[in-house]
């Protein structure tokens, strides 16, 4: 019995202890009950907060005038009216002060013309020229009275008040996904049948929602059409060897949609190979490849595990040497080094995001940079939100938000560049095979609707988490 005893984390005595799956600590029976009571109290507190939130929703639905946005609009109206009224009053005061001088000038001109009319009548000597002159002079002073040149109101092109508008965003910046996934490939236990997978690693979704999978332990690439019940072998599947039609432990696959070919990281055979209509071509040889990516210019990026670097290759020029674009300074944890890089992502600016797996971090290397920038993790391995545990698949959305598959924590997290911690997107409910659980997730891919697909390697399946619009 003594051999079965361990330290309780509360009383610090050696007793028979029981683990808590949530916090991974061990408690004796008495302290376990206390710990459960603390959790129950916290649940009760959270439940009250949810009830309060529900009441807030009902109040806002019944009284939209009390909403914070409506209050902003009302406040803007009040402040804008006050500004306009003050400006208008100031202009009135200036105008009223200038009126005596203005009317005095008009009356002087009028009196002068009136004297001329009296003189003409008195002398009774006038013709058409005199009458036209008097008529034109009267028109001029009438125009001056109605539209004075010495006094006018001019509107400034610059805004007197700040404008306001309502912006209705169709999609939230911080997207959410349903926590229960849909299995879109595999999920029928481990095996090599067409409806089965065996340790899937890389996953790629094309514009038609076809799912391409690097079926690692089956040494093949399979394609599952949208809503299909089984896949189709499109490369390998002829036992593990190094013949042209064979693969050994493929880790990643991408589709070159311009020429409808697939490019495979054939890691066990130390090569990157292209398949086009069942014709094979070795693109890169003697490379310990893992992750692949292609940018909008057609450059191919490959992770080299042995050299701890990412290489860039120009399509059609694989006889040349690849250019090192990340790492390449030996194995290490400095900003210019990598340690077992796996998956990569390249954005529109040709910045490279690298899952630096054994450093438990994601690094961003801008184009032509000499060192990378830490954008996720980097605080040793662990389960805290400022940590990563063996990150693998990485993708970045159009807002620059970074999504990482944590192989060791069985979850997918989102990091915003510059933030000190991430947030759990899917998974994180413990290791398992339920629809809200993952088991060693490896790679990620978004379809064109924003649904998140995860290669759930330990469960031999591909999971699709549908986006909540």
């Amino acid at each position: 019995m003594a051999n079965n005893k361990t330290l309780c984390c509360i009383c610090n005595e050696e007793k028979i202890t029981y683990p808590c799956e949530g916090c991974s600590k061990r408690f004796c029976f008495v302290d376990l009950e206390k710990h459960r009571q603390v959790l129950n109290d916290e649940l009760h507190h959270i439940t009250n907060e949810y009830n309060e939130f529900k009441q807030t929703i009902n109040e806002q639905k019944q009284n939209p005038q009390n909403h914070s946005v409506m209050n902003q609009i009302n406040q803007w109206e009040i402040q804008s009216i006050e500004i306009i009224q003050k400006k208008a009053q100031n202009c009135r005061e200036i105008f009223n002060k200038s009126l005596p001088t203005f009317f005095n000038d008009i009356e002087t001109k009028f009196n002068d013309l009136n004297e001329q009319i009296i003189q003409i009548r008195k002398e009774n000597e006038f013709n058409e020229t005199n009458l036209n002159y008097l008529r034109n002079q009267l028109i001029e002073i009438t125009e001056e009275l109605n539209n004075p040149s010495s006094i006018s109101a001019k509107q400034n092109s610059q805004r007197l008040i700040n404008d306001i508008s309502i912006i209705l965003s169709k999609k939230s910046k911080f997207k959410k996904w349903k926590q229960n996934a849909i299995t879109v490939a595999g999920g029928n236990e481990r095996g090599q049948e067409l409806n089965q997978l065996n340790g899937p690693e890389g996953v790629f979704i094309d514009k038609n929602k076809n799912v391409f999978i690097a079926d690692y332990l089956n040494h093949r690439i399979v394609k599952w059409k949208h809503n299909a019940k089984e896949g189709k072998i499109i490369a390998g599947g002829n036992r593990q060897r190094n013949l042209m039609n064979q693969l050994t432990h493929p880790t990643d696959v991408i589709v070159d949609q311009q020429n409808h070919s697939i490019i495979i990281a054939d890691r066990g055979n130390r090569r990157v190979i292209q398949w086009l209509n069942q014709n094979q071509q070795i693109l890169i040889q003697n490379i310990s490849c893992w992750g692949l990516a292609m940018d909008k210019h057609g450059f191919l990026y490959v992770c080299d595990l042995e050299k701890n670097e990412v290489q860039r290759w120009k399509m059609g020029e694989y006889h040349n040497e690849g250019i090192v674009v990340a790492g390449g300074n030996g194995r290490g944890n400095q900003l210019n080094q990598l340690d077992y890089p796996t998956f990569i992502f390249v954005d529109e600016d040709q910045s490279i995001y690298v899952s630096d797996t054994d450093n438990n971090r994601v690094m961003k290397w801008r184009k032509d940079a000499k060192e990378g920038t830490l954008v996720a993790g980097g605080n040793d391995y662990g389960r805290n939100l400022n940590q990563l545990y063996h990150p693998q698949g990485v993708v970045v959305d159009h807002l620059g938000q970074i999504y990482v598959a944590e192989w060791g924590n069985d979850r997918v997290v989102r990091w915003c560049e510059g933030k000190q911690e991430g947030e759990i997107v899917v998974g994180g409910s413990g290791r398992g095979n339920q629809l809200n659980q993952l088991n060693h997730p490896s790679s990620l891919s978004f379809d064109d609707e924003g649904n998140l697909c995860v290669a759930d390697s330990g469960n031999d399946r591909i999971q699709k988490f549908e986006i909540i619009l």
Side-chain angles (χ1 to χ4, degrees), residues 397-464:
D397 65 17
H398 68 284
L399 295 172
Q401 298 174 131
I402 305 152
Y403 298 80
V404 187
E406 283 194 79
W407 188 89
N409 280 330
D410 308 298
R411 66 191 185 188
V412 177
V413 292
R414 172 171 55 199
W415 286 67
C416 296
E417 188 172 349
K419 298 294 184 180
Q420 299 302 311
E421 63 180 33
E423 61 175 329
I424 299 173
V425 172
V426 295
S429 301
R431 183 172 300 166
N433 61 3
Q434 301 301 309
L435 294 180
N436 67 335
Q437 293 179 309
L438 298 170
N439 183 355
H440 293 326
S442 56
S443 67
L444 307 173
S445 185
F446 285 113
D447 66 18
D448 58 356
E449 294 179 355
N451 301 312
L452 177 61
C453 290
V454 183
D456 191 11
S457 181
N459 285 322
D460 306 297
R461 65 188 183 183
I462 307 298
Q463 298 293 84
K464 180 173 76 172

Side-chain angles (χ1 to χ4, degrees), residues 345-356:
F345 181 88
V346 183
D347 67 13
E348 291 290 312
D349 300 322
Q350 294 181 293
S351 292
I352 306 157
Y353 296 79
V354 187
S355 273
D356 193 9

Side-chain angles (χ1 to χ4, degrees), residues 7-14 31:
L7 284 177
C8 171
C9 70
I10 292 182
C11 66
N12 205 29
E13 295 181 5
E14 284 198 354
D31 288 330

Side-chain angles (χ1 to χ4, degrees), residues 178-365:
K178 294 180 180 179
Q179 295 303 295
N180 284 344
I182 299 171
T183 301
V184 295
N188 298 298
E189 298 184 347
R190 176 167 293 185
Q192 58 184 359
E193 301 300 323
L194 291 180
N195 69 338
Q196 295 177 309
L197 297 172
N198 193 348
E201 283 291 331
V203 60
F204 183 95
I205 314 296
D206 70 7
K207 60 184 178 182
N208 296 318
K209 296 186 177 64
N210 297 314
V211 184
F212 296 80
I213 306 161
D215 197 4
Y216 184 77
L217 294 175
N218 279 329
H219 315 292
R220 67 189 184 184
I221 305 298
V222 289
K223 173 184 176 182
W224 287 61
K225 291 187 176 181
H226 185 50
N227 292 330
K229 299 300 182 183
E230 63 180 30
K232 176 183 177 183
I233 301 172
I234 59 173
N238 303 303
R239 295 182 298 179
Q240 63 177 103
R241 286 185 61 191
N242 61 355
L243 299 180
M244 288 295 289
N245 68 338
Q246 294 177 314
L247 300 172
T248 300
H249 294 138
T251 52
D252 203 6
V253 58
I254 59 175
V255 178
D256 184 353
Q257 302 191 55
Q258 290 185 347
N259 60 20
H260 306 289
S261 70
I262 61 171
I263 300 175
I264 306 163
D266 188 11
R267 179 175 176 250
N269 288 322
R270 296 178 57 81
R271 66 190 182 185
V272 176
I273 190 168
Q274 182 182 49
W275 284 57
L276 176 60
N277 298 326
Q278 295 302 312
N279 295 316
Q280 303 87 33
Q281 177 187 2
I282 296 175
L283 302 182
I284 307 169
Q285 298 190 72
N286 195 29
I287 182 172
S288 183
C289 53
W290 191 283
L292 303 173
M294 183 175 289
D295 67 20
K296 63 181 180 181
H297 304 291
F299 287 98
L300 179 65
Y301 299 76
V302 185
C303 266
D304 190 327
L305 297 178
E306 289 181 357
K307 295 182 179 180
N308 292 292
E309 65 186 23
V310 179
Q311 301 171 11
R312 184 181 70 202
W313 300 74
K314 187 174 182 179
M315 292 293 286
E317 296 185 5
Y318 296 106
H319 56 280
N320 297 325
E321 291 292 326
I323 298 173
V324 177
V325 291
N329 296 292
R331 178 181 179 182
N333 60 6
Q334 302 301 309
L335 292 179
N336 67 342
Q337 294 178 308
L338 298 170
D339 189 354
Y340 208 83
T342 52
F343 289 96
I344 49 178
F345 181 88
V346 183
D347 67 13
E348 291 290 312
D349 300 322
Q350 294 181 293
S351 292
I352 306 157
Y353 296 79
V354 187
S355 273
D356 193 9
T357 302
D358 281 0
N359 280 326
N360 298 293
R361 66 186 186 183
V362 174
M363 300 296 291
K364 176 181 179 180
W365 288 66

Side-chain angles (χ1 to χ4, degrees), residues 101-262:
T101 303
F102 168 71
F103 284 123
N104 185 58
D105 292 341
I106 293 293
E107 287 177 340
T108 300
K109 293 179 180 178
F110 175 77
N111 291 335
D112 182 59
L113 288 173
N114 196 43
E115 286 292 330
Q116 293 183 49
I117 293 173
I118 294 173
Q119 185 66 27
I120 288 173
R121 284 185 175 278
K122 182 178 180 181
E123 295 178 353
N124 199 27
E125 290 184 1
F126 57 91
N127 55 32
E128 289 84 358
T129 302
N130 302 119
L131 296 177
N132 287 335
Y133 169 77
L134 293 173
R135 187 176 293 108
N136 290 334
Q137 289 299 306
L138 181 59
I139 291 173
E140 286 183 10
I141 62 173
T142 302
E143 179 67 21
E144 181 68 17
L145 177 64
N146 295 330
N147 299 292
S149 59
S150 59
I151 305 176
S152 63
K154 180 182 179 181
Q155 294 189 20
N156 196 329
S157 60
Q158 296 182 347
R159 291 178 177 175
L160 178 64
I161 59 171
N162 293 324
D163 199 2
I164 190 173
S165 60
I166 297 296
I167 300 173
L168 300 176
S169 177
K170 293 183 180 179
K171 294 183 179 180
S172 171
K173 178 179 178 181
F174 297 102
K175 300 174 183 176
K176 300 290 184 183
W177 288 265
K178 294 180 180 179
Q179 295 303 295
N180 284 344
I182 299 171
T183 301
V184 295
N188 298 298
E189 298 184 347
R190 176 167 293 185
Q192 58 184 359
E193 301 300 323
L194 291 180
N195 69 338
Q196 295 177 309
L197 297 172
N198 193 348
E201 283 291 331
V203 60
F204 183 95
I205 314 296
D206 70 7
K207 60 184 178 182
N208 296 318
K209 296 186 177 64
N210 297 314
V211 184
F212 296 80
I213 306 161
D215 197 4
Y216 184 77
L217 294 175
N218 279 329
H219 315 292
R220 67 189 184 184
I221 305 298
V222 289
K223 173 184 176 182
W224 287 61
K225 291 187 176 181
H226 185 50
N227 292 330
K229 299 300 182 183
E230 63 180 30
K232 176 183 177 183
I233 301 172
I234 59 173
N238 303 303
R239 295 182 298 179
Q240 63 177 103
R241 286 185 61 191
N242 61 355
L243 299 180
M244 288 295 289
N245 68 338
Q246 294 177 314
L247 300 172
T248 300
H249 294 138
T251 52
D252 203 6
V253 58
I254 59 175
V255 178
D256 184 353
Q257 302 191 55
Q258 290 185 347
N259 60 20
H260 306 289
S261 70
I262 61 171

Side-chain angles (χ1 to χ4, degrees), residues 389-402:
Y389 189 2
H390 287 175
Q392 296 225 336
V394 56
V395 292
V396 182
D397 65 17
H398 68 284
L399 295 172
Q401 298 174 131
I402 305 152

